[in-house]
Amino acid sequence: MAPPAEDSAPGPAVSHPTGHPAYSQTLPREPRSAAVARRLVRTALTVWGLEPLIEDATLVITELVSNAADHGRLPSIRVIVSRPSANVIRLGVVDRSKTVPTLRTDVTADQPRGRGLLLVDALTERWGTELYRWGKQVWAELEGVEAV
């Protein structure tokens, strides 16, 4: 599947019913894609009965999409929402850049940017980067109470 043109509308959300439940969607690599990514996260967590995680998860996906929009290379990114276990969700953003994000601890209150990964680190159980030969996926995991 070819990535969408930079000015094209987001592709349809895709659900994977086998294996680990997951949702994914290809979006333009731009800051406004964070709104679509938040809707995807809300939908997945509502379907899975993990609504208590929605507020933190939408903030985390916003930061991950923002980083990809700023540092990615090609015109599209892929947002992935998966559930590796009953009470863990994994949020991921795939882009075509191999630049690994770093947690900045030197950000001051008067700087308008640079705190995104500090928020991700504070709100998640763990986060990291998977490198591929053509790019990377930055992911973060949140834990919640298992749905009944």
Side-chain angles (χ1 to χ4, degrees), residues 29 32 95 115 123 128 133 139:
R29 186 183 54 84
R32 68 185 173 121
D95 67 56
R115 289 183 280 284
L123 295 173
R133 65 178 173 75
W139 55 268

Side-chain angles (χ1 to χ4, degrees), residues 6 21 38 51 56 58 61-62 70 79 84-85 91 94 107 116 129-130 133 136 139:
E6 192 160 337
R38 287 190 295 271
E51 289 91 344
D56 287 350
T58 55
I61 202 66
T62 298
D70 287 347
V79 174
S85 68
L91 308 172
V94 178
V107 181
T129 304
E130 290 180 25
R133 65 178 173 75
K136 69 176 177 303
W139 55 268

Side-chain angles (χ1 to χ4, degrees), residues 2-11 25-37 61-79 93-99 113 134-136 138:
E6 192 160 337
D7 62 347
S8 68
Q25 190 166 5
T26 299
L27 302 171
R29 186 183 54 84
E30 53 192 41
R32 68 185 173 121
S33 290
V36 179
I61 202 66
T62 298
E63 295 302 332
L64 296 181
V65 168
S66 180
N67 280 349
D70 287 347
H71 304 291
R73 279 187 325 128
L74 294 182
S76 66
I77 59 173
R78 185 115 188 122
V79 174
V93 176
V94 178
D95 67 56
R96 295 284 183 149
S97 168
K98 286 187 158 187
T99 303
R113 304 191 53 151
W134 45 263
K136 69 176 177 303
V138 180

Side-chain angles (χ1 to χ4, degrees), residues 7-133:
D7 62 347
S8 68
V14 178
S15 173
H16 300 280
T18 59
H20 296 302
Y23 292 83
S24 64
Q25 190 166 5
T26 299
L27 302 171
R29 186 183 54 84
E30 53 192 41
R32 68 185 173 121
S33 290
V36 179
R38 287 190 295 271
R39 279 195 301 272
L40 184 67
V41 167
R42 277 190 211 98
T43 298
L45 296 183
T46 299
V47 167
W48 296 332
L50 296 171
E51 289 91 344
L53 294 177
I54 289 175
E55 186 174 335
D56 287 350
T58 55
L59 181 54
V60 168
I61 202 66
T62 298
E63 295 302 332
L64 296 181
V65 168
S66 180
N67 280 349
D70 287 347
H71 304 291
R73 279 187 325 128
L74 294 182
S76 66
I77 59 173
R78 185 115 188 122
V79 174
I80 302 167
V81 185
S82 62
R83 190 176 179 190
S85 68
N87 66 334
V88 174
I89 61 155
R90 179 180 268 216
L91 308 172
V93 176
V94 178
D95 67 56
R96 295 284 183 149
S97 168
K98 286 187 158 187
T99 303
V100 176
T102 56
L103 185 64
R104 293 181 55 191
T105 56
D106 62 342
V107 181
T108 61
D110 61 335
Q111 291 176 300
R113 304 191 53 151
R115 289 183 280 284
L117 286 178
L118 286 171
L119 287 170
V120 170
D121 190 60
L123 295 173
T124 63
E125 296 300 315
R126 62 189 192 122
W127 66 275
T129 304
E130 290 180 25
L131 288 175
Y132 307 125
R133 65 178 173 75

